[in-house]
Amino acid sequence: MKILEIKNLYKSFGKTGVLHGVNFSMEEGEVVSIIGASGSGKTTLLRCINFLERADSGQVLLDGQVLFDAENQGRLTGKELRKKQLNFGLVFQDFNLFPQYNVLDNVMLAPRLLAKERPDFKANRKAIFSEIEETARGLLNRVGLGDKLTNYPCELSGGQKQRVSIARALALKPRILFFDEPTSALDPELTGEILKVIRKLAEEHITMVIVTHEIDFASNVSDKVIFMADGIVVEEGPPSQVIDHPQNERTRSFLQKLNEK
């Protein structure tokens, strides 16, 4: 069964249409990279799937069950929204860390807040928080930041901040991890740090959707590549097709222009 299905998503901001009927699906454990020029709708698509924006029409299905249906679903309450969002983790291009918290606290913050909603929280507060801290420490070790637990974001490089962001997203144990141009704010050396972490996650069969401009990386790490233009999926398939032997003229033109830079 497909873990994620996106059906006919449309989104406009005022009179400006951004998504014009986006459709795609993926299996559990797959890595899907989304490529395309700026303004093609990639980030808006991720934000709609993650409920940071509300699609005007269309559906989002998880494990074959409708998670979102614009036609039959009113505005969600805050609690309903949080419950749906917990299925997905999102790593932003600009890190979005809390500057007043150290690295460990940034990773623990959301799990601690969610833990307070557990019926057994008052009786088991110490044990629950201890487990959350152990998990956070393990995740930071996993991304190579075990020696930075007490540092604050202002003391970190861009690559280190992004690795904290990845650990923070993983702390909530999402079904699917989304990346929105995770290396766009980094120089080439720091970009390599992040791509190495994502590659390791792919080897661990973490289900991921990656919006990226790193075409070589997308080619090497992805099970499927989606090329978007003007708010639609123009072409999708394995990297050997979409990147190495594109079938659509728009895909060929996009890749050719990248090669000329």
Side-chain angles (χ1 to χ4, degrees):
M1 178 184 293
K2 295 178 175 63
I3 186 172
L4 179 69
E5 296 175 81
I6 305 303
K7 295 187 175 182
N8 215 28
L9 276 193
Y10 283 80
K11 176 64 180 177
S12 296
F13 294 97
K15 296 181 179 180
T16 304
V18 180
L19 301 179
H20 302 283
V22 174
N23 294 275
F24 78 90
S25 63
M26 65 185 302
E27 305 286 341
E28 189 165 12
E30 271 193 325
V31 177
V32 174
S33 289
I34 303 178
I35 63 174
S38 297
S40 58
K42 306 184 299 298
T43 292
T44 298
L45 173 61
L46 258 58
R47 291 180 65 84
C48 286
I49 296 173
N50 282 270
F51 301 100
L52 297 176
E53 301 286 354
R54 190 181 192 279
D56 299 324
S57 62
Q59 293 181 319
V60 177
L61 284 76
L62 186 72
D63 295 324
Q65 302 297 312
V66 176
L67 196 64
F68 171 81
D69 185 341
E71 306 301 325
N72 301 311
Q73 188 166 294
R75 293 290 175 181
L76 299 170
T77 66
K79 188 173 183 179
E80 290 170 335
L81 184 62
R82 285 196 302 274
K83 185 177 180 181
K84 291 177 182 290
Q85 287 177 322
L86 285 174
N87 292 291
F88 307 132
L90 179 58
V91 177
F92 300 89
Q93 57 183 291
D94 53 359
F95 322 131
N96 283 12
L97 299 178
F98 293 101
Q100 69 271 35
Y101 297 127
N102 66 27
V103 165
L104 184 60
D105 286 337
N106 260 283
V107 176
M108 293 193 299
L109 180 61
R112 280 180 165 179
L113 291 173
L114 285 170
K116 294 179 180 179
E117 299 179 5
R118 289 173 49 168
D120 64 337
F121 175 72
K122 288 185 178 180
N124 299 290
R125 181 182 186 277
K126 187 174 181 180
I128 291 170
F129 275 8
S130 178
E131 181 181 346
I132 289 171
E133 181 173 342
E134 182 180 356
T135 298
R137 287 176 178 271
L139 288 169
L140 287 164
N141 279 320
R142 192 169 162 190
V143 299
L145 291 175
D147 61 339
K148 300 291 184 182
L149 303 183
T150 59
N151 287 76
Y152 286 80
C154 64
E155 301 173 308
L156 304 178
S157 69
Q160 290 169 335
K161 290 176 185 178
Q162 194 60 291
R163 282 186 278 158
V164 176
S165 298
I166 293 171
R168 181 179 61 181
L170 289 169
L172 293 175
K173 302 175 183 178
R175 297 293 310 283
I176 305 173
L177 187 57
F178 292 80
F179 293 85
D180 183 15
E181 296 279 13
T183 62
S184 65
L186 305 177
D187 63 36
E189 182 178 353
L190 298 180
T191 291
E193 290 182 20
I194 303 307
L195 298 184
K196 183 178 179 181
V197 171
I198 298 174
R199 189 185 303 277
K200 184 177 179 181
L201 295 176
E203 291 170 353
E204 296 171 7
H205 304 291
I206 303 295
T207 309
M208 293 185 284
V209 177
I210 308 166
V211 168
T212 183
H213 60 275
E214 300 286 343
I215 301 300
D216 289 341
F217 176 75
S219 179
N220 291 326
V221 78
S222 308
D223 299 294
K224 180 191 293 184
V225 174
I226 291 173
F227 170 63
M228 285 186 66
D230 298 326
I232 63 170
V233 173
V234 173
E235 185 168 356
E236 65 177 297
S240 58
Q241 173 196 313
V242 177
I243 294 176
D244 298 335
H245 303 285
Q247 306 297 301
N248 189 282
E249 177 56 37
R250 298 180 76 180
T251 314
R252 288 195 291 269
S253 176
F254 169 75
L255 294 170
Q256 184 178 355
K257 288 177 182 176
L258 286 182
N259 291 330
E260 292 172 352
K261 289 183 178 180

